[in-house]
Every structure is written in C-alpha cells, then in structure tokens.
C-alpha cells in the first residue's frame, strides 16, 4: 500500500465518526441540493478568508470556469497564466473560449515570474490568472500594480494554497475573485469532487450564483444567462464545514512534516522547497528537485515508496494544446523543472516512522545514483 493511500485511511479513521455524522445530518435533513449545509459552508469559508461571498460549486475546474465567466472573460479574450500548473487551470480557460498566454516561472520557487507579465499583455488580455502553486503564493504586489495599470481583473487559482498567506494576506483574498478545489488530496479536501469561487464583488457573486444554477436566478425554469449545473453537493459541504474547523491543524501538521524533511535531507544534494519572500507555505505537496529524478523515483520503488511528479509534462508541450503554437524552448525554466521535480509524501497524518522511512530511503538512493 502506498503511503498516500495509507495516509488517507489514517485521516478517515481519525475523523470517521464526524464524517459519518455529517452524512447522516444531511440525509436526515431531507434537503439534498443547495440546502443549509452549502449556505453555512459558504458563509464560513468566506469569513475564514475575510471576503464577502463564497459560491460553492461542483469541482475546482468549474470554480475557475465560472470565475472567468463571472468577471466577463469569454471567446476571443486572452488570459495570462503559467504552464507549470495542473492542466485543469488551462482547460478552464479554454472552456470559456479564451486563449491562455503563458509566462515562465521562477526556478527557485516554481511560481509565476511576474516580471514577464507586462510583455505578455495585449489589447486582447482580459484577465491575469496567477497559480498559487504547491502551497505558497505568487508575488502579488507587482501583479496587482499591473492589473490596476491596465484595468485587468485578477482571478487567483488557489487549488493548492488553502490557508497560505502572502505578507499576511490569505490566498484567495487578493484578486477580483479566487477559485478553490476541494479534491480529496487538498489541504482542505472533500470526500469526492467539490470547489468554490470567492469574491468581495457583489456583481461577481450574483453572476456566479446564476452561472452555477443553469443561468437562473429568482424564477425557476427562467434562464437569464445560459449557465451550468455546477452546484456544490450538500453532503460534501457538510463534510467541508466540519473539516474547515480543523484546517489550521492540517496546515500545522504539514509544516511539521516539512521541517522533518529539512532536518533529514537538508545536507544532501536534493533541492528542497524554497519559501518565497513574504510567504507562509502550507506544503500542499513537498516538491523537490534533482537532475537524476527519474533514476531516483524508480529506485525508491524498491523501498515501496511510489512518488508523484507535479508536473512531468508542461501544459504548453501537450498535444491537446498544440493549437496554441508553443514549441519546446519557449518556457525554458518550466521545461527544465519538468525533468527534475518530484514530490515526497506529504499529509498531516504522515507518522514520524513513515517520515523516517522516506528520509532513509532517499538518502540511500542518493548515495547510489
């Protein structure tokens, strides 16, 4: 059994009574769609982030899709983002008919290189979409200055940054709107697909609520703007409500694991995560680098340690996005990282003995590759 699967089961066993009570609470309420659990979660998640509104949706991809549509992005528009991200970020841009325009990332922290954004802005640019990746935030001050100068909204992709702070500000509180995923592996994870888009703009909030409900508003069966069926499920909302009260504990657990990795691997030639200035990292994943990545990952399998790579194929090099016209070499840092990065096991319930197992195995492998 992989460490990830074991970690998931450990968390479930610890929280099982509360999770099952959440399910029972919803089933006994008789309100299974857009009921009190969704409303309460939306209120509580918005309050946690210090924003005015939260709109629960069915998954993180649609949180971006609806976020883009709600701020007015559509066919023919351009959205500036990065290729070093999960493909759903870019799939969402394509889904609204817009064109993703990529800038490169920093080699030391893997985040959007904001210095490249100004040159990427054209008369068709309608949105800046920073991805707060791996558990920490993009450098927002210069990006916000560019957005203000050009009159562009910022939509934050916060799928990997629940609870992360940038100069004291929470991820999700710095843009016109922000999209979250609650996929089970996330810092705040549901027991299935779930997502949300947050904003402090009442017009954007109203747009989001219409868009997630077919485009309807006050009168059922009357569509004002063609929308989606993208509602957050009541069961997932109730589970997320319970888990939100424990999110700071989840983050503390992840940081403790990260500190132990530094203690155990800091003297090796493995490149460990670097926290960007002003950031409070939450370590959604613990991404490391080594030029012999593939040999290391393969060798660790003999220790029953299977590791993931986030991400081995940059989005701009994938066949599904060939129409964008990018070539190998266009984003050299992103392409270099894709050959070197991999993730060590990271979740709050990872035991010290399992951490030691990973550390010892990595050290053994590094001594032989």
């Amino acid at each position: 059994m992989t460490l990830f699967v074991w970690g998931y089961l450990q968390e479930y066993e610890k929280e099982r009574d509360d999770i099952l009570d959440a399910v029972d609470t919803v089933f006994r309420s008789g309100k299974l769609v857009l009921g009190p659990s969704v409303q309460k979660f939306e209120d509580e998640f918005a309050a946690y982030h210090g924003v005015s509104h939260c709109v629960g949706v069915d998954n993180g991809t649609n949180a971006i899709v609806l976020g883009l549509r709600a701020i007015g992005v559509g066919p023919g528009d351009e959205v500036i983002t990065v290729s070093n991200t999960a493909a759903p970020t870019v799939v969402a841009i394509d889904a609204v008919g817009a064109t993703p325009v990529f800038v490169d990332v920093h080699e030391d922290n893997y985040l959007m290189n904001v210095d490249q954004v100004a040159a990427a802005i054209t008369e068709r640019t309608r949105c800046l979409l920073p991805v707060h990746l791996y558990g920490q935030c993009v450098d927002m001050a210069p990006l916000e200055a560019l957005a203000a100068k050009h009159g562009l909204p910022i939509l934050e992709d916060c799928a990997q940054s629940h609870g992360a702070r940038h100069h004291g500000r929470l991820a999700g509180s710095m843009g016109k709107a922000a999209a979250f995923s609650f996929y089970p592996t996330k810092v705040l994870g549901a027991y299935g697909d779930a997502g949300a888009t947050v904003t402090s703009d009442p017009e954007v909030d109203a747009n989001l609520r219409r868009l997630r409900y077919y485009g309807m508003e006050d009168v059922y069966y009357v569509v004002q703007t063609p929308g989606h069926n993208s509602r957050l499920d009541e069961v997932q909302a109730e589970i997320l409500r319970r888990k939100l009260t424990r999110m700071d504990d989840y983050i503390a657990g992840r940081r403790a694991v990260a500190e132990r990795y530094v203690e155990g691997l800091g003297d090796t030639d493995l490149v460990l995560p670097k926290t960007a200035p002003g950031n409070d990292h939450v370590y959604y994943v613990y991404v490391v680098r080594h030029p012999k990545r593939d040999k290391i990952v393969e060798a660790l399998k003999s220790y029953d340690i299977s590791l993931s790579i986030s991400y081995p194929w940059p989005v701009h090099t994938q066949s599904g996005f060939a129409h964008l016209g990018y070539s190998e070499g266009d984003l050299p840092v992103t392409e270099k990282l894709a050959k070197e990065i991999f993730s060590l096991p990271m979740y709050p319930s990872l035991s010290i003995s399992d951490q030691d197992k990973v550390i010892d195995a990595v050290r053994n492998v590094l001594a032989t590759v």
Side-chain angles (χ1 to χ4, degrees), residues 182-206:
F182 304 119
Y183 187 77
T185 62
K186 303 300 184 183
V187 175
L188 178 64
Y191 278 70
D193 277 318
T197 309
V198 304
T199 183
S200 287
D201 186 310
E203 182 178 355
V204 173
D205 173 60

Side-chain angles (χ1 to χ4, degrees), residues 72-264:
V73 177
D77 294 337
E78 293 178 349
V79 177
I80 297 176
T81 190
V82 293
S83 178
N84 183 40
T85 183
T89 303
V90 185
V91 168
I93 296 170
D94 183 77
V96 302
T99 299
V101 175
F102 299 119
V103 297
D104 217 338
V105 296
H106 291 291
E107 188 168 350
D108 60 348
N109 58 41
Y110 322 138
L111 298 166
M112 172 186 273
N113 187 338
V114 177
D115 292 340
Q116 297 185 8
V117 173
I121 295 174
T122 72
E123 61 181 13
R124 293 175 57 195
T125 305
R126 292 294 178 270
C127 178
L128 307 181
L129 204 166
V131 180
H132 301 316
L133 197 68
Y134 302 149
Q136 64 173 328
C137 298
V138 169
D139 186 11
M140 291 298 290
L143 194 68
E144 290 171 290
L146 273 175
K149 178 181 178 181
H150 294 275
L152 297 170
I154 293 175
L155 175 64
E156 300 172 72
D157 182 342
C158 301
Q160 301 187 14
S161 59
H162 308 71
R165 291 182 182 271
H166 179 63
H167 293 291
R169 296 190 294 170
L170 275 168
S173 67
M174 296 177 278
K176 182 85 165 179
F180 289 84
S181 168
F182 304 119
Y183 187 77
T185 62
K186 303 300 184 183
V187 175
L188 178 64
Y191 278 70
D193 277 318
T197 309
V198 304
T199 183
S200 287
D201 186 310
E203 182 178 355
V204 173
D205 173 60
N207 290 341
L208 287 166
R209 294 186 186 281
R210 281 193 299 270
L211 289 168
R212 75 159 175 196
Y213 197 57
Y214 310 109
M216 301 175 188
E217 190 170 345
D218 297 323
V219 182
Y220 191 50
Y221 294 130
V222 177
V223 173
Q224 298 186 356
T225 303
H228 306 255
N229 178 4
S230 299
R231 301 171 299 222
L232 175 61
D233 181 82
E234 274 286 292
V235 170
Q236 300 300 345
E238 185 62 30
I239 292 172
L240 288 167
R241 286 190 65 217
R242 312 290 182 95
K243 295 188 71 175
L244 180 60
T245 66
R246 300 187 284 269
M247 190 162 78
D248 290 344
D249 293 333
Y250 299 150
I251 292 170
R254 289 174 180 272
R255 287 175 174 157
V257 174
E259 289 175 5
R260 192 166 184 83
Y261 280 147
V262 172
E263 293 171 1

Side-chain angles (χ1 to χ4, degrees), residues 282-296:
V282 297
Y283 299 101
Y284 163 59
V285 284
Y286 194 85
V287 176
V288 298
R289 286 176 56 200
H290 197 284
K292 296 181 180 179
R293 186 267 310 279
D294 292 343
K295 291 183 178 179
I296 294 170

